[in-house]
Amino acid sequence: MEKKDSFLAFRYPEFRYYMMANFLFTVGFLIQEVIIGYELYKLTGDPKAIGFVGLSYAVPFMGLSLVGGHLADKMSKKKILLLSVSGIAACSLFLFFVSKSLTGESAHSLQYVIYAVIAATGGFYAFFAPTASSLKPFLVPREAYENAATWGSAGWQSGTIIGPGISGFIYNWGGFSNTILVVIVLFSAVFGFILLIGDRKIVEQSAGNILQKVKEGIAFVGRTRMLLYSISLDLFAVLFGGVVAILSVFAQDILKVGPEWLGVLRAAPSVGAVLTLLLLTRTSVMDKAWRNMLLGVAGFGVATIVFALSKNIWLSIVALFFTGAFDAVSVVIRHTILQLVVPDEMRGRVGAVNGIFLSASNELGAFESGMAASWLGTVRSVVAGGVLSLAIVTVVWWKSRDLFEVDLRA
């Protein structure tokens, strides 16, 4: 690993604005997600009500992402970001007013309003996510791509720790409606930081209708082996090896530590990821990048198996820490690949394909974890997931041996 300028990307003002917008958006988005789940369970007493939140969000997001990616390549990225953030904030504002007005017996109607708001938010996010992803490479020069990918991932991971971490305190202080108001303020700050980023000239594209342009993006991913393998590895590793959705089962029935340790277990992967990403701002993993990526996914699988077999809370925390640490290595390399190999005129569409893969791994992964645990038993299902992750890495390792010689730094 080679030493490098840890803050190279931050030397460009627009990247700093982008990072603040990305961090505040993540914090606000996750505060809202956490308190919505809590409020729904309080209203209904039914865990399935929380499960429908993921479905309400995923369907419009996955259905509209390719359209969002196409528009990100064709229109002003800044305008799309401003409009989509405004739409998401408007959804939260609507939820704020409705939650204020529904009291007593009518409060149960809030459940259906929440599903509608989550669906609309997922629709707006389908335009925000690929546009934000496609904008980042325009904010820094090529030599700063890896550093920008590392800091971008660190900012997101920090948001995933801070957002859920402070959501309960804000909720206890102000209740559901006022917490949504805090989220609206955060989204307004995101809008302000996006305003500080200059617009980008639209890259000229070949002729074709929206269906043809979307097919072009999908075809590019399909024929670019390093890109296809990298996002597929992440999809299947998280789909089969992810354990976040069933951590409550481990805390309650296997480790027998109770709810007070559940938050620690939930935070451990993010802490491991953030510390690793901070390390990667000082060293590079792009020397032998493809090898390092496969080793990162393999390490994720091994750490998952160790967690599944552990009966000791401290060993379990360490294992989860390393799932986040190994995942961080593969995330940095995958995001750098996305920035390096995708042409400017296709960044939005390819970013949309990547976003769909990520959404599928997270949403379907949670569903798979629950189903596998009910069929095989909790421990056996997680061990099987870790083994499957290692098997997939082995197959990709064998099929992509020629990629080991590719020097992404060149």
Side-chain angles (χ1 to χ4, degrees):
M1 294 185 181
E2 61 186 42
K3 289 186 178 180
K4 57 184 181 179
D5 182 352
S6 300
F7 297 97
L8 177 60
F10 278 103
R11 303 195 187 285
Y12 301 90
E14 290 185 317
F15 180 76
R16 297 198 294 268
Y17 305 146
Y18 176 92
M19 279 292 297
M20 284 303 302
N22 183 50
F23 171 74
L24 292 174
F25 183 87
T26 302
V27 171
F29 199 84
L30 290 178
I31 288 174
Q32 181 166 282
E33 180 182 285
V34 170
I35 66 161
I36 278 177
Y38 185 84
E39 189 73 7
L40 275 174
Y41 190 71
K42 193 170 77 171
L43 284 171
T44 65
D46 185 357
K48 292 196 294 295
I50 303 173
F52 280 113
V53 170
L55 185 64
S56 299
Y57 167 81
V59 170
F61 174 77
M62 296 176 72
L64 292 172
S65 279
L66 291 173
V67 177
H70 166 68
L71 294 178
D73 288 333
K74 187 178 180 181
M75 299 173 59
S76 161
K77 299 181 192 303
K78 181 175 180 177
K79 288 178 182 176
I80 294 174
L81 288 175
L82 291 173
L83 287 171
S84 54
V85 169
S86 298
I88 292 170
C91 290
S92 299
L93 187 62
F94 176 74
L95 183 58
F96 167 76
F97 283 119
V98 172
S99 63
K100 278 285 192 181
S101 61
L102 291 178
T103 57
E105 291 294 325
S106 62
H108 285 279
S109 302
L110 182 61
Q111 175 184 357
Y112 306 104
V113 174
I114 286 174
Y115 292 141
V117 166
I118 290 296
T121 300
F124 283 114
Y125 190 66
F127 295 89
F128 179 89
T131 306
S133 171
S134 67
L135 177 63
K136 186 164 58 175
F138 292 95
L139 304 179
V140 296
R142 193 175 184 86
E143 62 269 17
Y145 280 178
E146 183 189 355
N147 190 250
T150 304
W151 278 114
S153 298
W156 179 82
Q157 288 285 0
S158 299
T160 65
I161 297 172
I162 293 172
I166 64 175
S167 59
F169 294 102
I170 300 174
Y171 184 92
N172 285 334
W173 162 73
F176 182 76
S177 299
N178 288 329
T179 307
I180 293 295
L181 194 59
V182 171
V183 170
I184 295 167
V185 171
L186 290 172
F187 288 156
S188 300
V190 172
F191 187 95
F193 278 110
I194 294 173
L195 279 176
L196 296 174
I197 299 174
D199 212 346
R200 289 302 184 273
K201 183 180 178 181
I202 300 168
V203 180
E204 188 174 343
Q205 297 185 24
S206 58
N209 58 40
I210 184 171
L211 186 59
Q212 291 171 324
K213 306 307 288 184
V214 166
K215 284 182 178 178
E216 278 183 14
I218 296 172
F220 180 84
V221 174
R223 68 174 178 266
T224 309
R225 291 171 61 236
M226 183 176 281
L227 181 58
L228 177 63
Y229 286 155
S230 64
I231 62 178
S232 298
L233 274 170
D234 180 79
L235 167 64
F236 290 111
V238 176
L239 182 64
F240 295 122
V243 297
V244 170
I246 54 174
L247 282 179
S248 56
V249 180
F250 276 90
Q252 176 88 12
D253 299 334
I254 295 166
L255 298 171
K256 301 185 186 303
V257 292
E260 62 271 17
W261 284 94
L262 178 57
V264 178
L265 293 170
R266 179 64 183 85
S270 293
V271 174
V274 169
L275 292 179
T276 302
L277 289 164
L278 291 176
L279 174 64
L280 293 181
T281 64
R282 299 188 60 82
T283 59
S284 176
V285 289
M286 301 314 290
D287 180 27
K288 306 290 185 183
W290 191 245
R291 179 205 64 186
N292 292 339
M293 171 141 191
L294 292 173
L295 288 175
V297 180
F300 176 87
V302 171
T304 298
I305 294 171
V306 172
F307 171 76
L309 297 175
S310 169
K311 298 294 190 293
N312 179 277
I313 181 62
W314 294 109
L315 178 59
S316 298
I317 291 169
V318 170
L320 287 172
F321 175 94
F322 278 105
T323 63
F326 284 119
D327 186 53
V329 173
S330 65
V331 164
V332 167
I333 297 172
R334 185 177 75 252
H335 285 188
T336 306
I337 291 170
L338 273 167
Q339 293 180 87
L340 286 173
V341 306
V342 181
D344 287 344
E345 69 273 12
M346 217 174 270
R347 292 193 184 278
R349 284 165 286 170
V350 173
V353 174
N354 180 59
I356 289 173
F357 271 61
L358 289 176
S359 181
S361 65
N362 291 327
E363 305 301 336
L364 296 180
F367 176 76
E368 182 275 336
S369 296
M371 292 298 100
S374 65
W375 293 337
L376 301 175
T378 304
V379 172
R380 283 196 294 271
S381 70
V382 177
V383 170
V387 171
L388 275 172
S389 296
L390 292 175
I392 291 164
V393 170
T394 303
V395 171
V396 173
W397 188 295
W398 178 258
K399 291 177 68 68
S400 63
R401 286 170 293 171
D402 57 311
L403 297 180
F404 282 60
E405 304 306 318
V406 176
D407 186 358
L408 287 176
R409 296 172 301 171

